[in-house]
Amino acid sequence: QVQFLESGGGSVQAGGSLRLSCAASESTFRSYAVGWFRQAPGKEREFVAAVSRSGADTYTQDSVKGRFTISRDNAKNTAFLQMNLVEPDDTAVYYCAALTRGFYSPTYYSGYQYYSWGQGTQVTVSS
């Protein structure tokens, strides 16, 4: 089963940028859609963005639309989350995970469909 490793988190001031990476352990990476989720202290995990197997199709949560961009490079077995104009409310641990089926279903945002969760990377945005 594929394993993911997130990186790129850190501390940044509001209005700044970060680029998160999600590296897969094997070349079957292109067989999975990939989702990014986040969990802030005391809050439930929430969907952020997802990208299809080929990278041609994406979904982005409304609260980050226009600021965050998800992409992937199948040749490098890596997915990315470019975070621009970050806000203090973006502070959370960010996780990536794999999705085999359901990317084009109405429940693409449900974390219960995803697996092979990484250990997460902390993003802290100061005002």
Side-chain angles (χ1 to χ4, degrees):
Q1 187 174 359
V2 66
Q3 294 181 336
F4 289 143
L5 180 64
E6 303 94 337
S7 61
S11 297
V12 61
Q13 288 192 328
S17 297
L18 282 173
R19 190 191 197 202
L20 305 185
S21 296
C22 171
S25 60
E26 55 188 52
S27 60
T28 55
F29 174 72
R30 63 185 66 236
S31 300
Y32 312 99
V34 176
W36 281 99
F37 293 77
R38 66 185 181 185
Q39 187 165 20
K43 295 186 178 181
E44 294 186 352
R45 181 182 62 197
E46 65 173 354
F47 171 82
V48 176
V51 60
S52 63
R53 298 175 184 180
S54 67
D57 298 311
T58 63
Y59 298 113
T60 307
Q61 186 206 103
D62 286 347
S63 68
V64 304
K65 196 167 292 184
R67 300 189 297 119
F68 292 9
T69 302
I70 188 170
S71 62
R72 66 190 295 164
D73 185 340
N74 285 343
K76 296 182 178 179
N77 296 335
T78 304
F80 305 97
L81 185 68
Q82 179 67 43
M83 305 169 61
N84 297 330
L85 299 174
V86 295
E87 303 169 353
D89 283 349
D90 296 323
T91 295
V93 178
Y94 284 72
Y95 302 89
C96 63
L99 178 66
T100 300
R101 299 177 180 175
F103 182 82
Y104 295 105
S105 75
T107 57
Y108 65 86
Y109 58 87
S110 172
Y112 295 105
Q113 297 189 106
Y114 290 76
Y115 59 96
S116 294
W117 295 84
Q119 87 293 342
T121 186
Q122 175 71 48
V123 172
T124 302
V125 182
S126 58
S127 57

